[in-house]
Amino acid sequence: MRKHIVAGNWKMNNGLIQTETLISELKQQTKTSDAEVMIAPTFTNLWHAFESTRQDDIEVIAQNMHFAENGAYTGEISAGMLKSIGIKTVILGHSERRAYFNETDDSLAKKVDTALANTMRVIFCFGEELSDRKAGNEEAVVERQIKNALFHLEASAFKHIVLAYEPVWAIGTGETASPEQAQDMHAFIRKTLNSKYGETVADDMTILYGGSVKPNNAKEIFSKPDVDGGLIGGAALNAEDFYAIVNAF
Ligand code: PEP
């Protein structure tokens, strides 16, 4: 089923005290939309965030995980570890992970498999670089990223996947894809899914847009028929801004 989702990616921001403060500010906000609200604090604060939002309409999710179940991977976190503290959703393939930590379509395919094998929901991110868009290659890049990491899956797996189209040139830059650019790409993504898995999978897929979504542009972006929500970076670090986006539906 398609849903409205607004997920805040806190990235490598907020220690324990700031996490407590931001969560208590988030709790003071009122949700007036039907969007599911998610926040992704850093690993060290996941348990605390999970515990302190147990009674709230906020899901705490992870920013990343390793593809191995366990073993000699110093510094890494497994799906089982996330599950053991109650985390049920993980962001995979964020462009910063791809750019700075060498994540590839192949390693992401393995991560997706491991997350699904652990009955986790995946928010799978992808998107083109500025040079791809300038060259008119954005659809080819996005199609390749989706096919390489996801097209080995059975259709039934897509119930546990949310897609997040995040043009790299729009992340943290203040530069947003226009609502029309977002809509065109989301429609293309649905068409790509349809070509392999059929109409039901394509129509039911929740597709988020990410890239400098702010309170002043969220309504217009979310009004597009194929945009089902947002993955929010900078604006997720301010409770009022974040809920202004949540309530833009
Ligand atoms: C992101 O990091 O996923 C993101 C969309 O960041 P920002 O909203 O700051 O562009």
Side-chain angles (χ1 to χ4, degrees):
M1 264 309 264
R2 230 159 126 180
K3 295 173 176 157
H4 290 151
I5 294 177
V6 177
N9 174 13
W10 291 9
K11 310 191 185 191
M12 198 174 73
N13 293 297
N14 291 338
L16 183 59
I17 302 298
Q18 294 100 320
T19 296
E20 280 176 348
T21 306
L22 182 49
I23 287 178
S24 81
E25 288 167 359
L26 289 170
K27 287 181 186 199
Q28 286 160 29
Q29 305 298 314
T30 307
K31 191 174 86 159
T32 57
S33 77
D34 65 351
E36 276 184 38
V37 178
M38 301 178 184
I39 55 170
T42 194
F43 282 131
T44 52
N45 296 314
L46 280 178
W47 168 243
H48 183 80
F50 177 78
E51 280 291 305
S52 48
T53 53
R54 260 183 201 278
Q55 312 300 329
D56 301 286
D57 195 5
I58 297 175
E59 183 183 349
V60 174
I61 68 173
Q63 298 177 17
N64 180 36
M65 52 160 252
H66 198 264
F67 54 73
E69 295 288 350
N70 50 53
Y73 297 99
T74 302
E76 291 293 327
I77 307 284
S78 72
M81 290 167 186
L82 295 173
K83 287 290 295 285
S84 75
I85 58 163
I87 305 300
K88 298 193 187 75
T89 302
V90 61
I91 299 171
L92 294 177
H94 192 280
S95 63
E96 288 152 13
R97 303 271 343 150
R98 292 176 189 257
Y100 307 138
F101 303 99
N102 303 320
E103 296 206 348
T104 62
D105 292 346
D106 283 352
S107 64
L108 289 168
K110 290 195 218 166
K111 288 188 178 201
V112 169
D113 289 347
T114 305
L116 296 179
N118 283 274
T119 64
M120 293 189 76
R121 174 161 63 167
V122 172
I123 298 182
F124 183 75
C125 306
F126 53 87
E128 81 283 0
E129 309 265 349
L130 185 58
S131 54
D132 301 319
R133 186 159 278 268
K134 281 192 170 154
N137 290 335
E138 64 273 18
E139 289 188 349
V141 169
V142 161
E143 185 175 13
R144 195 189 64 228
Q145 289 171 326
I146 293 175
K147 285 189 172 171
N148 287 352
L150 302 179
F151 270 24
H152 62 288
L153 298 171
E154 302 283 336
S156 57
F158 284 84
K159 285 195 203 85
H160 310 289
I161 293 178
V162 170
L163 298 180
Y165 167 58
E166 298 206 300
V168 178
W169 48 270
I171 296 181
T173 57
E175 180 101 23
T176 323
S178 69
E180 291 70 30
Q181 285 172 318
Q183 167 57 27
D184 287 351
M185 185 58 87
H186 284 219
F188 173 75
I189 293 162
R190 258 183 239 290
K191 196 172 102 194
T192 303
L193 288 175
N194 191 339
S195 69
K196 163 103 173 154
Y197 293 104
E199 210 169 295
T200 308
V201 168
D203 286 352
D204 283 354
M205 178 55 57
T206 300
I207 310 177
L208 313 182
Y209 168 78
S212 299
V213 178
K214 306 286 178 204
N216 64 3
N217 59 22
K219 218 180 187 72
E220 220 193 330
I221 295 170
F222 292 171
S223 71
K224 294 296 174 191
D226 287 300
V227 178
D228 304 311
L231 184 53
I232 317 299
L237 297 173
N238 177 289
E240 277 181 27
D241 286 354
F242 186 57
Y243 268 79
I245 295 170
V246 169
N247 292 332
F249 276 107

